[in-house]
């Protein structure tokens, strides 16, 4: 399930940002984020509306505990596309929360925001993420070689997308 981010999510969000296993393949250096940075992010997410360029939601378990964040970013209303992003706490890995949240955010993107395409990129060596995106229905579009500099090393990225007509709503 997904819901709007709330301040009660801050400790768990801060936790994954400082977990090397969770963040090692991410472009942003979340280890430098402070609790105030996380608070500001949540406050901004709480103010989002249907006209926002970025929308961020909490992935939650059956007890409303925060398991991660899922987003549509760079929402382009003219071209009807947006970038998908997801990150989950280590505790949530392998439990099915990410797949369910992905279906929910895709439905939201296609039905509420009127998008035709939702895309993402991931470093090629993140094998688990690449398998996950394919399982969720994303189709590979191509590879950009040595495209991201992450912690001093260049990485290839793989682009994926899902089109509205490909998604089983």
């Amino acid at each position: 399930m997904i819901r709007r981010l709330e301040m009660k999510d801050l400790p768990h969000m801060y936790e994954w940002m400082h977990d090397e296993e969770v963040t090692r393949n991410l472009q942003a250096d979340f280890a430098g984020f402070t609790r105030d940075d996380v608070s500001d992010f949540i406050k901004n997410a709480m103010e989002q509306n249907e006209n926002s360029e970025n929308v961020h939601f909490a992935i939650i378990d059956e007890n409303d505990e925060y398991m991660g964040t899922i987003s549509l970013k760079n929402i382009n209303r003219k071209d009807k596309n947006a970038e998908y992003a997801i990150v989950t706490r280590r505790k949530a890995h392998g439990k099915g929360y990410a797949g369910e949240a992905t279906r929910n955010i895709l439905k939201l993107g296609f039905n509420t925001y009127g998008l035709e395409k939702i895309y993402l990129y991931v470093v090629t060596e993140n094998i688990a993420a690449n398998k996950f995106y394919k399982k969720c229905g994303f189709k590979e579009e191509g590879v950009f070689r040595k495209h991201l500099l992450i912690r001093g090393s260049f990485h290839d990225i793989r682009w994926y997308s899902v089109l509205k007509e490909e998604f089983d709503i």
Side-chain angles (χ1 to χ4, degrees):
M1 293 185 286
I2 62 174
R3 64 156 165 76
R4 285 193 175 267
L5 284 164
E6 299 173 4
M7 277 303 159
K8 70 180 183 179
D9 302 325
L10 190 151
H12 297 308
M13 185 180 282
Y14 185 79
E15 168 196 303
W16 73 251
M17 288 181 171
H18 293 83
D19 185 335
E20 172 64 28
E21 182 180 317
V22 172
T23 62
R24 73 173 168 251
N25 289 311
L26 302 179
Q27 183 178 14
D29 183 11
F30 289 104
F33 278 48
T34 65
R35 288 186 179 273
D36 287 341
D37 295 329
V38 178
S39 176
D40 290 344
F41 179 87
I42 293 171
K43 284 177 191 171
N44 287 334
M46 291 169 65
E47 295 171 2
Q48 69 196 17
N49 62 48
E50 62 278 353
N51 297 316
S52 297
E53 184 178 337
N54 302 304
V55 291
H56 309 283
F57 297 91
I59 301 167
I60 57 168
D61 70 4
E62 56 282 350
N63 297 313
D64 195 39
E65 182 178 337
Y66 171 93
M67 291 291 139
T69 301
I70 192 163
S71 308
L72 291 174
K73 305 185 311 184
N74 305 311
I75 299 171
N76 182 324
R77 285 170 176 75
K78 176 187 168 287
D79 295 324
K80 299 185 178 289
N81 63 54
E83 180 182 352
Y84 160 101
I86 188 170
V87 64
T88 56
R89 298 167 58 197
R90 191 185 320 190
K91 176 180 182 177
H93 294 180
K95 305 258 173 69
Y97 299 121
E100 180 184 349
T102 297
R103 285 185 292 283
N104 288 332
I105 200 87
L106 292 176
K107 284 180 190 175
L108 186 75
F110 294 132
N111 294 337
T112 303
Y113 290 94
L115 302 175
E116 290 294 322
K117 176 180 180 175
I118 298 174
Y119 62 90
L120 66 93
Y121 65 86
V122 61
V123 294
T124 57
E125 59 266 30
N126 190 342
I127 305 298
N130 280 275
K131 285 181 182 177
F132 171 76
Y133 299 132
K134 288 177 184 175
K135 183 178 176 186
C136 290
F138 286 89
K139 309 281 189 245
E140 184 177 334
E141 290 196 352
V143 175
F144 282 19
R145 299 177 304 144
K146 290 190 174 185
H147 193 73
L148 292 182
L149 183 62
I150 302 174
R151 293 170 201 69
S153 297
F154 283 101
H155 298 266
D156 296 351
I157 60 170
R158 196 171 304 277
W159 287 90
Y160 291 94
S161 71
V162 62
L163 304 177
K164 183 176 183 175
E165 66 259 20
E166 297 169 338
F167 183 67
D168 183 19
I169 300 171

